[in-house]
Amino acid sequence: MYKNLAAALAAACFFSPVFSQTKAPAEPVKAGFVYVSPITEAGWTRQHDEGRKAVEAALGAGVKTTFVENVPEGPDAERVIRDLAATGHKIIFTPSFGYMEPTLKVAQDFPGVKFESITGYKQSANVATANARYYEGRYLAGIAAGRMSKTGVAGYVAGFPIPEVLQGINAFTLGMRSVNPQAQVKVVWLNVWFDPPKERDGAMALFNQDADVVAFHTGSTAVMVAAQERGKLAVAYHSDMRRVGPDAQIVAVTHQWGDYYTARVRAAQNGTWKSGNVWGGVKEGMIRVGDFGSKVPQAVQQEVLARQKDIAAGKLHPFQATRTAVRDNEGHEVIAKGQTLGDAQILGMNWLAEGVVGKLTR
């Protein structure tokens, strides 16, 4: 899935007794991308647009990409997806959880078009799903935060309490407490993915509650900018954000979509595309932790990178109870000693780990 597929077919030649001519090259495959926010200098949408650019770089004249940015989840998304399907796009990527249902609805009316519901979980004959194991990067970032925090209190600016976000909060907390067992993570829920002023306000509120390092699951750089202004630390998400937080960034959890997108467009191009589900992480190259800030000691960098190698090799799992059972923040055992959560349990996560200060908003 993540290696180059077969090279594009060479143009065929037709010969007749009277003349010879080369067939016109095949039309480039049209690939559409729908983005939930504007394309900013870093963040969720930026990483998906980098994936789109990687497709263009890999396939050249064999592909023509189109993107529509800042499309709200809901009826507007269905309109945009339908318009792309109706205008000859052979494969359409819809990278936002709230695009799942509109994607499925449009796909029913365009059985010849391939759809990629990124972060969705419902498939059909012409709708595939894909996501990344963000929680692996979150655990590693938690180790860095645990080593760097002086107060032992971290903040977390979160969008919505869906399993993907809970996985990240819990993995971050478990990573942090693996090096500082008394660490706390305070959560602020925004109930929005992209709203820079609200993201900033959430970060500022956490800094006022003794958090000296923050992580976030939102779409802009606002939290990193706030940390830079307050002289605090932050974990970059989606993209490297050192440009806006040169002193604040300790590490970045980055998403790498280029190889996946390229492979899927190639498959649509050569007729090998099939529906299915991909959930890739550090091992598959879809999640990477690095881009350390200048304040992070070499020893901490080496520790985080070593644990990243352990995850890639299957030696470390963020949701594994090795020495003691893992409990939620209400005292219930959620991972028995010696046990590791399976994918189904991770995908259905509905609890907050011990050490998290906050409650689920239902």
Side-chain angles (χ1 to χ4, degrees):
M1 181 63 69
Y2 305 98
K3 296 180 179 178
N4 287 340
L5 302 177
L9 294 174
C13 293
F14 171 76
F15 296 92
S16 78
V18 179
F19 64 92
S20 68
Q21 70 178 39
T22 301
K23 282 187 177 179
E27 286 290 317
V29 62
K30 294 177 71 174
F33 296 77
V34 185
Y35 300 146
V36 74
S37 71
I39 302 173
T40 54
E41 60 188 334
W44 172 258
T45 294
R46 164 59 64 182
Q47 289 307 109
H48 287 281
D49 200 56
E50 291 299 315
R52 179 188 65 82
K53 291 176 181 177
V55 173
E56 290 186 333
L59 301 184
V63 66
K64 180 180 180 181
T65 70
T66 304
F67 67 86
V68 185
E69 59 184 318
N70 204 22
V71 179
E73 297 172 333
D76 230 22
E78 181 182 337
R79 176 186 59 78
V80 170
I81 298 166
R82 188 174 297 279
D83 183 62
L84 289 171
T87 52
H89 290 82
K90 190 171 184 179
I91 183 167
I92 299 171
F93 296 88
T94 57
S96 190
F97 183 77
Y99 290 164
M100 181 177 66
E101 295 297 344
T103 298
L104 288 162
K105 188 173 181 181
V106 175
Q108 288 181 333
D109 297 332
F110 293 89
V113 178
K114 315 304 181 189
F115 296 84
E116 295 275 341
S117 178
I118 310 300
T119 74
Y121 61 87
K122 294 181 181 179
Q123 300 108 37
S124 70
N126 62 328
V127 178
T129 56
N131 207 351
R133 295 180 184 266
Y134 312 108
Y135 67 84
E136 293 180 346
R138 296 295 200 178
Y139 182 89
L140 297 167
I143 293 174
R147 293 298 189 198
M148 297 298 294
S149 175
K150 292 185 171 75
T151 65
V153 178
Y156 208 108
V157 180
F160 294 90
I162 64 173
E164 177 186 306
V165 178
L166 301 181
Q167 294 160 19
I169 294 170
N170 291 336
F172 179 80
T173 304
L174 292 170
M176 194 173 181
R177 286 169 73 92
S178 74
V179 297
N180 178 2
Q182 303 305 313
Q184 290 187 328
V185 177
K186 296 182 177 180
V187 179
V188 170
W189 296 105
L190 300 185
N191 294 313
V192 67
W193 293 124
F194 183 86
D195 188 329
K198 287 186 72 173
E199 295 170 51
R200 175 188 173 83
D201 288 347
M204 291 299 188
L206 290 164
F207 293 140
N208 292 338
Q209 298 175 47
D210 297 324
D212 59 355
V213 57
V214 290
F216 56 94
H217 195 135
T218 51
S220 82
T221 61
V223 172
M224 183 63 69
V225 171
Q228 178 73 19
E229 291 179 7
R230 287 286 292 268
K232 305 294 184 179
L233 301 174
V235 174
Y237 192 48
H238 313 303
S239 312
D240 177 8
M241 297 181 178
R242 284 176 293 182
R243 185 172 177 275
V244 297
D247 303 313
Q249 181 167 309
I250 55 174
V251 70
V253 179
T254 59
H255 311 162
Q256 310 295 323
W257 292 104
D259 286 350
Y260 178 79
Y261 281 179
T262 299
R264 298 303 277 169
V265 173
R266 275 204 178 104
Q269 186 181 51
N270 62 29
T272 62
W273 188 97
K274 292 182 180 179
S275 179
N277 178 59
V278 169
W279 198 20
V282 170
K283 180 181 178 180
E284 295 80 10
M286 293 178 76
I287 293 295
R288 184 178 71 83
V289 167
D291 306 313
F292 296 96
S294 60
K295 293 183 178 180
V296 184
Q298 276 294 318
V300 175
Q301 296 185 36
Q302 291 170 1
E303 180 181 15
V304 172
L305 293 177
R307 298 293 80 75
Q308 182 165 238
K309 288 182 178 178
D310 288 342
I311 288 177
K315 297 177 181 178
L316 172 64
H317 194 295
F319 296 122
Q320 182 177 55
T322 50
R323 298 173 185 169
T324 60
V326 172
R327 298 184 179 278
D328 66 17
N329 66 355
E330 295 180 348
H332 306 115
E333 183 177 282
V334 287
I335 312 175
K337 181 181 177 180
Q339 298 298 307
T340 302
L341 293 188
D343 283 355
Q345 294 168 300
I346 297 171
L347 288 167
M349 191 166 285
N350 63 352
W351 48 270
L352 290 170
E354 184 177 30
V356 178
V357 180
K359 293 184 178 181
L360 294 181
T361 57
R362 301 297 186 183

